[in-house]
Amino acid sequence: MPPRIGVLASGRGSNFVAIAEAIRRGDLKAEIALLISDRKDAAALAKARELGIAAEHIPYSVKDREAFERAAGDRFDEAGCSLIILAGYMRLLTPYFVRRYPGRILNIHPSLLPSFRGLHAQKQALEFGVKIAGCTVHVVTEELDAGPILGQRAVPVLEDDTEDTLSARILEQEHRLYPEAIGRYLADGVGMGQGSVTAAGRLGQPDEG
């Protein structure tokens, strides 16, 4: 039986769709069991249902973030999820949720970590003047964007790049990298994230998409 994945998403869900398509093609041996969104109008909910994947909205309150996470965790557990994927989830996870799934939450970030953590990573890269940007899949820990790196792809920064154009080219690489990194993670065994992390394929060659 393939590993069952739970997804947290807040927006359009393009990375979620890329993962689902990799599964459909047979490139990723897994099953998305459930997608949960903190926003009832998230496009990811509709996309999941179109693909025949269970999808739920759970109300979110900044006054009690753990209430959402407890409810989401209970639903993921009921669905038999052994791995949680963040796909455009725009909330900071509390220590409660990270500790509930130690080494079993993955995220993709639009920079070559450890550079440019947090929000607006592409804008940070342009303002700093780097010539190479990219994206990183990492294990989620209690420290923001600081967990073990599972894979990276590099994207050259062009002279006329804006935040939007750079973001679009990085997103193309995110769609390729995320399923690949999940596959490597699962091949090494769910729950390995806090220990030894396979470095194979960690940094791809610059690719303009």
Side-chain angles (χ1 to χ4, degrees):
M1 186 174 180
R4 291 171 68 82
I5 294 174
V7 178
L8 282 174
S10 296
R12 58 188 173 181
S14 67
N15 271 309
F16 151 69
V17 172
I19 294 166
E21 289 179 347
I23 292 172
R24 178 185 56 80
R25 292 192 305 267
D27 295 338
L28 177 59
K29 307 301 182 183
E31 175 187 357
I32 299 176
L34 176 63
L35 180 144
I36 292 175
S37 179
D38 58 307
R39 293 179 52 190
K40 64 181 179 181
D41 60 345
L45 290 169
K47 290 180 179 178
R49 291 164 184 153
E50 289 173 5
L51 294 170
I53 295 170
E56 299 181 15
H57 164 246
I58 296 177
Y60 188 98
S61 171
V62 293
K63 295 180 179 179
D64 190 356
R65 295 186 293 159
E66 282 190 19
F68 170 87
E69 294 177 347
R70 286 192 298 271
D74 289 347
R75 291 295 295 117
F76 285 141
D77 290 350
E78 291 167 6
C81 300
S82 55
L83 179 65
I84 310 301
I85 300 297
L86 307 185
Y89 182 64
M90 302 305 293
R91 307 284 190 178
L92 288 176
L93 294 174
T94 70
Y96 159 79
F97 196 79
V98 176
R99 292 169 187 170
R100 181 165 177 165
Y101 301 102
R104 293 194 289 135
I105 307 172
L106 305 186
N107 183 45
I108 191 161
H109 183 74
S111 79
L112 295 176
L113 292 174
S115 299
F116 311 125
R117 300 177 184 178
L119 296 175
H120 307 297
Q122 304 93 326
K123 182 179 179 181
Q124 293 183 59
L126 290 171
E127 290 177 346
F128 198 82
V130 299
K131 301 305 180 184
I132 299 292
C135 52
T136 303
V137 175
H138 65 96
V139 178
V140 174
T141 62
E142 292 182 41
E143 184 179 354
L144 179 65
D145 297 331
I149 291 172
L150 300 177
Q152 294 182 313
R153 275 185 179 263
V155 175
V157 178
L158 307 180
E159 288 187 7
D160 59 350
D161 260 332
T162 65
E163 184 177 359
D164 288 341
T165 60
L166 179 59
S167 297
R169 294 206 323 285
I170 290 175
L171 185 62
E172 291 178 3
Q173 298 308 313
E174 290 182 30
H175 293 166
R176 299 178 185 182
L177 175 63
Y178 216 171
E180 293 172 0
I182 293 169
R184 287 196 296 268
Y185 174 93
L186 292 174
D188 284 340
V190 171
M192 50 69 72
Q194 297 289 354
S196 61
V197 175
T198 298
R202 174 167 294 176
L203 183 60
Q205 295 300 312
D207 188 336
E208 295 187 24

